[in-house]
Amino acid sequence: LEAGKHLLCEKPLTTTLAEARRVARTASRAARRAGTLHMINFSCRDSSAVQAAIKIVQRGDLGDIRHVHASYLQSWLTGTMWGSWEDPKFLWRLQTAKGSSGVLGDLGCHLLDLITIVAGDVESLDCRLANFPKTDKRNRSRSTAGGSPLDANDTALMRLQFNSGAVGICHTTRWATGHTNSVELSVHGTEGALRIDLDAGDDKLFLCLGKNRNSPRWTTRTIRPTPNIYQRFIRSIKSTVPDQPDIVRGAQVQSYLDACQRSADKGGTTAKIRSWL
């Protein structure tokens, strides 16, 4: 960024909120000074259903948002559909000494971006983290591997208080037997509701709107494909028009992760969202 290079960054943006603020400020200065374009790869936004959901809520079609719930479920600690958790490509994700922020940083960043980009910003939250004993190929309980403890969180539960007054709950885990890589989001308002289930398809949006909420009756809308993050990043460079999610958004999500960790460190007490700039 300081060299004026366009940047597409992986997620989470950084490992601490202080680092995220520094990167976000650098990105903002680079954009003003040299027109540098920057984005972060929150891949749930590749879903056309997610893009449509953002617009539906922003238009007010659901009325006032009251309740939100979401989940991101994987099962590679209980199944072998992706291989063994002892494989180095997975093992580092279970060890803070190897740089892992656990399932909270790995999957929670996607989940928190998805929830808040659709339903609105969060002002405070509480979070509980868990780390369960692992069982290896020989059916032995393991707490270390390769000389380092298996100490990264593998389960996260969060309760959210939105700026709008809405409340929400979300959770993510690597112990969800029966789920390979499942993402779901439901948003309920005074005039309607929507649901996204990426297992059902990136293009499927389930809606309960208007009079249908009295039945209740849900309809399925198939949304035309939208550009993925890589296509939008290239388009942004060519057009010189900034796109979302940008690095500042990455820092905002880092502020949510920061609040989750602070809450968990204090036994699940409520934590206010700190400034990300």
Side-chain angles (χ1 to χ4, degrees), residues 3 37 50 59 99 197-199 212 245 255 261 263:
L37 282 305
V50 169
R59 282 200 307 264
D197 177 358
L198 296 187
D199 273 356
N212 282 347
S255 73
Q261 190 64 60
S263 171

Side-chain angles (χ1 to χ4, degrees), residues 41-55 113-114 117-118 183 185 195-206 221 223-229 231-232:
N41 189 17
F42 288 128
S43 54
C44 288
R45 300 204 194 193
D46 291 350
S47 161
S48 58
V50 169
Q51 294 297 329
I54 294 169
K55 296 176 182 178
D113 175 65
L114 173 63
I117 198 59
V118 174
V183 180
L185 168 69
R195 185 170 67 86
I196 294 168
D197 177 358
L198 296 187
D199 273 356
D202 289 352
D203 61 345
K204 296 296 186 293
L205 183 60
F206 305 94
R221 186 179 299 175
I223 310 298
R224 295 177 62 181
T226 50
N228 63 33
I229 187 74
Q231 293 167 328
R232 288 189 288 116

Side-chain angles (χ1 to χ4, degrees), residues 11-21 23 92 96 98-101 105 254 257-258 261:
K11 41 50 62 182
L13 178 60
T14 58
T15 57
T16 69
L17 179 55
E19 292 173 340
R21 287 171 177 154
V23 176
W92 76 271
T96 59
K98 304 295 184 181
S100 176
S101 54
Q254 196 74 42
L257 296 174
D258 170 77
Q261 190 64 60

Side-chain angles (χ1 to χ4, degrees), residues 118-188:
V118 174
D121 292 341
V122 168
E123 66 177 27
S124 63
L125 56 81
D126 60 72
C127 175
R128 289 187 178 270
L129 303 175
N131 175 33
F132 296 99
K134 314 302 185 287
T135 302
D136 66 15
K137 296 175 183 177
R138 298 182 182 180
N139 204 33
R140 299 174 302 181
S141 181
R142 298 281 299 277
S143 60
T144 63
S148 296
L150 301 170
D151 58 347
N153 62 80
D154 52 45
T155 299
L157 308 175
M158 293 154 274
R159 295 189 302 177
L160 313 175
Q161 180 69 53
F162 291 83
N163 291 357
S164 65
V167 295
I169 187 165
C170 63
H171 58 101
T172 180
T173 184
R174 305 199 194 280
W175 293 98
T177 305
H179 292 270
T180 303
N181 194 52
S182 301
V183 180
E184 293 190 41
L185 168 69
S186 295
V187 181
H188 304 270

Side-chain angles (χ1 to χ4, degrees), residues 234-275:
I234 293 169
R235 182 180 65 186
S236 184
I237 293 170
K238 289 181 175 180
S239 66
T240 71
V241 177
D243 202 349
Q244 288 288 331
D246 63 9
I247 293 298
V248 175
R249 172 61 180 177
Q252 182 179 14
V253 173
Q254 196 74 42
S255 73
Y256 295 152
L257 296 174
D258 170 77
C260 286
Q261 190 64 60
R262 286 188 287 114
S263 171
D265 289 344
K266 294 183 178 181
T269 59
T270 299
K272 289 283 188 181
I273 307 302
R274 290 171 170 168
S275 172

